[in-house]
């Protein structure tokens, strides 16, 4: 049976996805690549060096911590459950985005407008949907431009703080 989340709860489960996606950049470009340098037949990496185990773990822990905090704030276990799923989905969506970027020939860190901003958001939504947690459709739509703007702003900030070599 599907569980319908009201608008506020829909926002609360999405916030950990944003946190999970933003956290790995704090690694300052170091870590063990998930694809271990594997190159596919097209001569390009499976995912590339920008997707690391450390990034995955830090993102997941950070997203889950935010989920725990928000769940405690509103005393709702479903917010924790949904937030953890959304964090995981965001990280997997970002990996799928990197896979697609490599297949179309874009180097690690090359900008892919829309894909860069919405890969993790779609991943989070997909994961929640698979777990039968249905978000408010207006929040899903309304949050998309917010996610894009936030992604842009945080990446510019990370670039200024010298955490990232490019501002996207
Ligand atoms: N990162 C990581 N592990 C992950 C995700 C991200 O280590 N699973 C780190 C990498 O240092 C990455 C940075 O966070 O460069 C920013 O993430 P993102 O913008 O998604 O990566 P890009 O550098 O744009 O690389 P790609 O083109 O592969 O998406
Ligand atoms: Mg990305």
């Amino acid at each position: 049976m599907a569980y319908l989340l009201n608008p506020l709860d829909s926002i609360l489960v999405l916030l950990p996805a944003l946190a999970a996606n933003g956290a790995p950049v704090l690694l300052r470009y170091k870590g063990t690549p998930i694809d271990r340098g594997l190159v596919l037949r097209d001569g390009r990496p499976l995912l590339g060096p920008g997707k690391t185990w450390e990034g995955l773990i830090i993102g997941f822990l950070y997203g889950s911590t935010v989920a725990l905090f928000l769940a405690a704030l509103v005393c709702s276990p479903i917010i924790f459950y949904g937030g953890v799923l959304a964090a995981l989905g965001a990280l997997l969506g970002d990996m799928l985005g990197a896979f697609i970027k490599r297949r179309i020939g874009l180097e690690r860190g090359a900008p892919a407008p829309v894909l860069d901003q919405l890969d993790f958001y779609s991943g989070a939504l997909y994961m929640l949907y698979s777990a039968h947690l249905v978000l408010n459709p207006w929040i899903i739509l309304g949050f998309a431009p917010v996610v894009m703007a936030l992604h842009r702003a945080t990446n510019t900030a990370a670039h200024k703080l010298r955490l990232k070599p490019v501002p996207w």
Side-chain angles (χ1 to χ4, degrees):
M1 208 188 72
Y3 187 93
L4 295 171
L5 293 172
N6 67 35
L8 176 66
D9 287 352
S10 301
I11 293 176
L12 292 180
V13 294
L14 286 174
L15 292 177
L18 295 181
N21 186 255
V25 77
L26 298 172
L27 282 170
R28 287 177 176 264
Y29 253 55
K30 288 188 281 282
T32 318
I34 294 168
D35 69 4
R36 293 166 188 261
L38 179 71
V39 172
L40 298 191
R41 279 171 187 222
D42 59 7
R44 301 183 184 282
L46 176 68
L47 300 173
K51 302 301 142 191
T52 67
W53 286 111
E54 289 84 345
L56 200 60
I57 293 165
I58 285 185
F60 184 66
L61 290 180
Y62 189 59
S64 302
T65 307
V66 171
L68 186 66
F69 174 77
L70 295 172
L73 207 65
V74 295
C75 298
S76 165
I78 200 93
I79 297 299
F80 177 62
Y81 174 62
V84 169
L85 283 176
L88 188 64
L91 292 158
L92 296 178
D94 181 50
M95 282 168 62
L96 180 64
F99 175 82
I100 296 171
K101 280 172 80 174
R102 299 303 88 83
R103 301 288 74 72
I104 57 178
L106 292 174
E107 301 285 331
R108 176 250 188 108
V114 186
L115 181 63
D116 273 337
Q117 292 90 40
L118 293 184
D119 52 5
F120 74 95
Y121 188 54
S122 323
L125 291 174
Y126 182 75
M127 192 63 116
L128 290 167
Y129 187 73
S130 315
H132 307 290
L133 287 180
V134 180
L135 272 56
N136 180 284
W138 295 111
I139 297 296
I140 293 182
L141 283 177
F143 224 59
V146 176
V147 165
M148 295 187 76
L150 267 178
H151 186 272
R152 180 96 215 141
T154 50
N155 279 294
T156 308
H159 174 61
K160 291 220 169 95
L161 292 169
R162 294 172 198 276
L163 290 170
K164 219 177 176 234
V166 286
W168 44 76

